[in-house]
Amino acid sequence: MWVLRRVLRRLRRPWVLSWGLAALFAALYSCVAVNRHRRVLTQAYDLGIFEQAVRAYADGRAPIVLLKGPGYHLLGDHFHPVLVTLAPLYRVFPGAVTLLLAQAVLMALAVVPLSRWAHEVGGPRLAGTVGCLIGLSWGIVEAVADDFHEIAFAVPLLACAATALGRGRSAAAVLWALPLVLVKEDLGLTVAAVGVLVFRRAARGSGIRALGFGTALFGLAATALTMLVVLPSFNPGGDFAYWGQLGAGKAVGAPWELAGRLFWPPLKWLLLGLAAATAGFLGLRSPLALLCVPTVGWRLIADNPHYWGVGYHYSAVLMPLLIAALVDALDRTGAFARRPDAPGPAPLDAASAPAAPDAAAVRPARRALVVAGLVAAVTLPVYPLHELAAPGAWATSPRLAATKALLARIPDGATVAASNRLAAQLAGRTTVGLVCREPVPSPADDLSDGPQWVAVDLADPSVHAPCAIEDTRWMLGRYESFGYRPVVADGDLRLLRRP
């Protein structure tokens, strides 16, 4: 019995609890992501694209990505030089699984700073609760199961920056935030928001105030430079590829027209409501919630419906900021007795927070935690983490076995034109392009210029984007008309070989 008590005491230590939870969620994320790749649920857009880029970096080449188009330089799509840091790991362990595991670990690292801060605020129980809230948060769970994306690097950086801000460590917050400009072009706006908060809480005439002002300018300048200069210089069209989706060139119009654009259709209300509930609503009182404004703002103003909802990977960067806002709001209510040995200065905007618990503040604090916990519980069956307990997710169906057999026929190093999901399986060991975009030789040309293999799954539900099913069927017919011989014709699975 004494052994159990000793173990429990050790588990209550901040570093054991935080790193233990991070390891647990890293393992859970890894199981989900790798198993979905095994089941051929990952896609060329985006896992295959990022693997081709990291594979190029690992070989010492520029990130030319055939899946985006012949000769396409990926730094003309989004600005993410941080991917270079994965090249040594990929060099030793080549394959898509390396990217998926790296993403799982990066996402899980957000648990560490937030749970340790929560431990300072309210002890081990609050630390465990906050660690589970961030680990089970719908935005992160959806992202780790949705292929691989560069924002995996942003999640732990944002968690550390927001935690440092909440603990009053302005310089540390800036240092954690600055690398965000190397993750994606829009995150420079979040860096600017960090600078604004640092400037806002510093005393007049202090060096910290100057640091905040400089950080805000740096973030804005970094975004402007990447979107107006760097990305256009690599893009085949000589422009930032997403201006159209952001509504560039549209007239602002009357204020009510702008409001309608921001808050209509109602799908945007779901995003805003679920984000607020993730912070237990109480977190909206924290200045840290303002760090969400840049990301939420460009998503609401964009014309792309994918940005408006709660799917895909777009909300992952919001999760550490919302949970950090919740912890900061809980701390400022005075509902928890702040430990006298807790490191760091007073929390953000909380110089007058009481040292002992405020009984009147306990109820709203508990209500906020219950709301945040309910969000995690309700979204758990909706998002892919529930697949860990689904027996069917671990089985190998005859269809999956047939798909694996088709892929096994394609030798390493071959050139392939493939449909979306099959391309993700081949990106690490072949030179693969999308079947609807791969240039097809004309009958008068030498067929040796065409891909050696054509692999298509006509039942792939993802073929509507980037390749519509009609385009895929049409291209498949063209290859057959040029003499490509069928090797596999198993239902909707097709494998052709160049004569």
Side-chain angles (χ1 to χ4, degrees), residues 259-275:
R261 184 175 171 187
L262 285 172
F263 302 110
W264 193 263
L267 180 60
K268 297 178 180 180
W269 305 348
L270 174 63
L271 171 63
L272 295 173
L274 193 56

Side-chain angles (χ1 to χ4, degrees), residues 398-414:
R399 166 79 177 184
L400 178 58
T403 303
K404 294 289 188 179
L406 179 150
L407 293 168
R409 287 176 172 266
I410 303 174
D412 294 352

Side-chain angles (χ1 to χ4, degrees), residues 16 75 81 102 123 132 145 181 214 220 240 286 293 321 338 397 471 491 495:
V16 175
L75 288 180
C132 290
V181 300
L220 294 174
F240 178 50
S286 168
V293 171
L321 302 178
R338 189 170 179 84
S397 65
D471 295 336
L495 179 64

Side-chain angles (χ1 to χ4, degrees), residues 76-116:
D77 186 50
H78 288 297
F79 187 70
H80 36 51
V82 71
L83 293 178
V84 175
T85 60
L86 292 177
L89 186 63
Y90 189 90
R91 183 81 176 182
V92 179
F93 303 104
V97 171
T98 297
L99 271 63
L100 296 174
L101 293 179
Q103 176 172 256
V105 172
L106 287 167
M107 295 283 197
L109 285 176
V111 171
V112 177
L114 291 169
S115 60
R116 295 200 68 169

Side-chain angles (χ1 to χ4, degrees), residues 29-228:
Y29 298 160
S30 298
C31 288
V32 171
V34 173
N35 190 46
R36 289 178 70 85
H37 186 61
R38 178 193 70 86
R39 294 161 58 200
V40 195
L41 296 179
T42 51
Q43 306 175 52
Y45 273 55
D46 293 301
L47 179 60
I49 287 174
F50 282 110
E51 184 175 5
Q52 286 189 339
V54 174
R55 182 181 175 186
Y57 285 134
D59 292 339
R61 297 181 284 110
I64 305 300
V65 175
L66 181 58
L67 287 169
K68 287 287 289 185
Y72 194 101
H73 197 299
L74 199 59
L75 288 180
D77 186 50
H78 288 297
F79 187 70
H80 36 51
V82 71
L83 293 178
V84 175
T85 60
L86 292 177
L89 186 63
Y90 189 90
R91 183 81 176 182
V92 179
F93 303 104
V97 171
T98 297
L99 271 63
L100 296 174
L101 293 179
Q103 176 172 256
V105 172
L106 287 167
M107 295 283 197
L109 285 176
V111 171
V112 177
L114 291 169
S115 60
R116 295 200 68 169
W117 180 25
H119 196 285
E120 296 172 11
V121 172
R125 289 185 179 180
L126 183 62
T129 300
V130 167
C132 290
L133 288 177
I134 183 65
L136 296 174
S137 59
W138 51 276
I140 288 180
V141 170
E142 175 69 2
V144 295
D146 184 32
D147 294 348
F148 172 91
H149 297 91
E150 71 281 84
I151 51 90
F153 289 91
V155 171
L157 290 173
L158 288 168
C160 290
T163 297
L165 272 176
R167 297 170 73 188
R169 298 179 174 179
S170 299
V174 169
L175 291 176
W176 283 115
L178 290 179
L180 290 170
V181 300
L182 302 177
V183 178
K184 201 173 181 183
E185 62 276 0
D186 66 285
L187 289 173
L189 300 178
T190 304
V191 174
V194 170
V196 170
L197 288 186
V198 170
F199 178 86
R200 179 175 174 268
R201 75 182 307 270
R204 288 184 178 274
S206 67
I208 295 299
R209 196 175 179 90
L211 176 65
F213 184 75
T215 302
L217 286 181
F218 173 79
L220 294 174
T223 293
L225 180 65
T226 53
M227 294 177 67
L228 299 177

